[in-house]
Amino acid sequence: MSDNGHQQNGHENVPSRQRRRFEGISSRTYEHPADRSALVALRKLSGFDTVFKALSGLLPERSLRLLFLSDSVRVSDAQFAHLNTMLLDACHILDLEKVPPMYVAQDPQPNAMCIGLDEPIIVVTTGLVELLDEEEMRAVVGHEVGHALSGHAVYRTILLFLTNLALRVAWIPLGNIAIMAIVTALREWFRKSELSADRAGLLVGQDLKASMRGLMKLAGGNHLHEMNVDAFLEQAEEYEAGGDLRDSVLKILNTLPRTHPFTTVRAAELKKWAESRDYQRIMDGHYPRRTEDKETSVSDSFRQSAASYATDVKNSKDPLMKLVSDIAGGAGDLGGRVRRGFGGFAGGTPKDQSAPNDQTTPEDRTSPKDQPPRDSTPEDDD
């Protein structure tokens, strides 16, 4: 199954080094379980089907294509030939028969996207092209081809449209609330879909170090001599485990308006998957085929997603997730732990000195030391 080159549209693509090809690969192979469950939840959201059907016929996809055709550079043998080679290579490795058009758009902000309803379009900015080296860029192109293979472009396009629409109807009573509910759900799904596409990028590039470098550059710019992968991943560890319950809430609030997960989190998730048995089995040629997709049970996929979430919660070092895990496990003194989490208590809960025949609950026996000052609030602490 090694890749020795192939023909596509009359162009022979010979990769700079041999890479494994995944013939007939199903997108289920690399899709993050949270991606699938978030999409299931999105489709069950009240009003989503109505909005989706309406927008599918209204979105100006032809106008979108004409816009990029007229004001961007289309990648081909004659223009950005090295990107064209990467695109053909990525489609060959993931066995995507129809190669999506790719454009380079003038924008100093490093970015890439896969959009479109009937047929996906890949767009990369000049800022991204100038920032990344060949192997890093190969992972990004594979990332976007993964979006195309998974059918993510449709929902991404609707998200972009609804985000703009929400700004226009903000003055309409309740109108903005209804749209933002769907936008919020779309953003939650899209953040998870980015983890899936990162995996697809690794399957295409087959170079974990290059994927890590690319993510570091997105966070800190073209200063690799000043950065270190291990230290970068330590940031993800500190981000997840640090702080108290207030920090956990702030993390949620900081994440809600974003379409992408935080870069350190993406790097940590990708490294964990690359070191897993699942990834090794894929590289050994054992993966789901598209011919088996029709036989896949939706309920089985949802159960896998639920199991993945449960494992993540159980293993998470985040204070809020640890609290949720303890609640599920029936841990005692949860009330005290919540108070300490939000109040920033330095010490542990005083040992109960009550007599053995005292029938009051731990909450009823809370000492004055366990209570926050009457004139102090979280806002005062800031």
Side-chain angles (χ1 to χ4, degrees):
M1 291 181 62
S2 60
D3 182 9
N4 294 313
H6 66 287
Q7 291 280 344
Q8 181 70 43
N9 296 337
H11 175 79
E12 184 179 359
N13 175 29
V14 181
S16 56
R17 63 179 175 83
Q18 287 191 345
R19 290 179 175 82
R20 180 171 293 280
R21 182 176 185 239
F22 306 102
E23 186 175 359
I25 189 171
S26 167
S27 61
R28 292 181 291 116
T29 303
Y30 58 81
E31 284 173 348
H32 194 284
D35 172 8
R36 293 197 294 271
S37 62
L39 193 55
V40 169
L42 173 66
R43 289 167 175 163
K44 291 181 177 295
L45 184 67
S46 177
F48 178 77
D49 284 343
T50 302
V51 171
F52 179 79
K53 291 176 182 178
L55 291 180
S56 295
L58 294 176
L59 285 177
E61 183 172 15
R62 292 180 65 87
S63 175
L64 192 67
R65 292 178 179 278
L66 288 173
L67 176 63
F68 287 114
L69 187 62
S70 63
D71 205 31
S72 301
V73 176
R74 183 166 59 191
V75 172
S76 65
D77 286 336
Q79 301 184 118
F80 290 100
H82 72 292
L83 293 181
N84 191 51
T85 299
M86 292 182 194
L87 176 63
L88 296 175
D89 189 22
C91 291
H92 180 61
I93 289 175
L94 293 182
D95 201 10
L96 184 63
E97 293 184 4
K98 189 165 186 179
V99 179
M102 185 160 75
Y103 294 88
V104 176
Q106 171 61 32
D107 187 343
Q109 182 71 27
N111 197 14
M113 59 182 175
C114 181
I115 55 177
L117 295 178
D118 296 327
E119 296 180 1
I121 301 173
I122 296 174
V123 182
V124 297
T125 65
T126 52
L128 187 69
V129 175
E130 293 164 4
L131 178 65
L132 305 182
D133 67 23
E134 179 180 351
E135 291 303 311
E136 296 158 7
M137 193 69 197
R138 187 184 300 276
V140 169
V141 173
H143 174 111
E144 300 305 326
V145 170
H147 277 312
L149 182 59
S150 291
H152 291 161
V154 174
Y155 298 100
R156 169 67 166 172
T157 305
I158 292 176
L159 174 59
L160 290 173
F161 180 82
L162 287 179
T163 301
N164 293 330
L165 182 62
L167 297 176
R168 298 178 185 178
V169 302
W171 59 274
I172 301 177
L174 300 180
N176 188 46
I177 295 177
I179 293 176
M180 286 309 299
I182 296 178
V183 168
T184 300
L186 275 167
R187 282 174 175 162
E188 168 63 16
W189 159 75
F190 195 77
R191 286 190 295 269
K192 305 305 182 185
S193 75
E194 285 298 293
L195 301 179
S196 297
D198 283 344
R199 295 177 175 186
L202 180 58
L203 291 178
V204 168
Q206 298 174 25
D207 185 344
L208 180 61
K209 291 182 179 179
S211 294
M212 294 290 107
R213 291 199 310 268
L215 289 170
M216 281 200 305
K217 284 184 176 181
L218 289 177
N222 194 13
H223 303 281
L224 280 179
H225 62 289
E226 298 285 352
M227 294 185 282
N228 178 276
V229 172
D230 292 334
F232 188 65
L233 292 172
E234 286 175 5
Q235 289 181 226
E237 179 81 10
E238 182 179 346
Y239 171 78
E240 181 183 1
D244 54 25
L245 292 179
R246 289 175 298 183
D247 293 308
S248 297
V249 174
L250 290 174
K251 292 175 191 176
I252 295 172
L253 295 177
N254 287 339
T255 302
L256 284 176
R258 296 175 59 91
T259 56
H260 288 60
F262 292 111
T263 317
T264 57
V265 175
R266 291 174 62 183
E269 284 281 342
L270 185 60
K271 186 173 186 294
K272 181 171 66 176
W273 186 68
E275 295 173 347
S276 69
R277 176 59 182 160
D278 288 341
Y279 177 73
Q280 189 56 55
R281 284 181 55 80
I282 296 169
M283 297 305 296
D284 290 340
H286 305 292
Y287 53 84
R289 265 63 172 182
R290 289 196 288 270
T291 53
E292 305 165 356
D293 284 350
K294 292 182 179 180
E295 302 173 2
T296 303
S297 169
V298 175
S299 59
D300 286 344
S301 297
F302 194 78
R303 279 194 294 270
Q304 293 173 7
S305 302
S308 175
Y309 268 119
T311 301
D312 289 344
V313 170
K314 181 180 179 180
N315 297 332
S316 176
K317 297 179 181 178
D318 180 84
L320 181 58
M321 291 299 100
K322 289 175 68 176
L323 179 63
V324 170
S325 180
D326 286 346
I327 291 174
D333 192 27
L334 293 177
R337 293 188 61 179
V338 171
R339 288 193 297 273
R340 290 195 300 278
F342 281 103
F345 288 88
T349 304
K351 292 183 179 180
D352 181 21
Q353 302 298 330
S354 303
N357 60 354
D358 187 353
Q359 299 301 313
T360 57
T361 64
E363 287 76 9
D364 295 332
R365 297 195 298 266
T366 302
S367 67
K369 292 182 180 180
D370 290 328
Q371 300 296 338
R374 294 179 181 275
D375 58 350
S376 174
T377 63
E379 289 73 20
D380 295 331
D381 293 338
D382 294 334

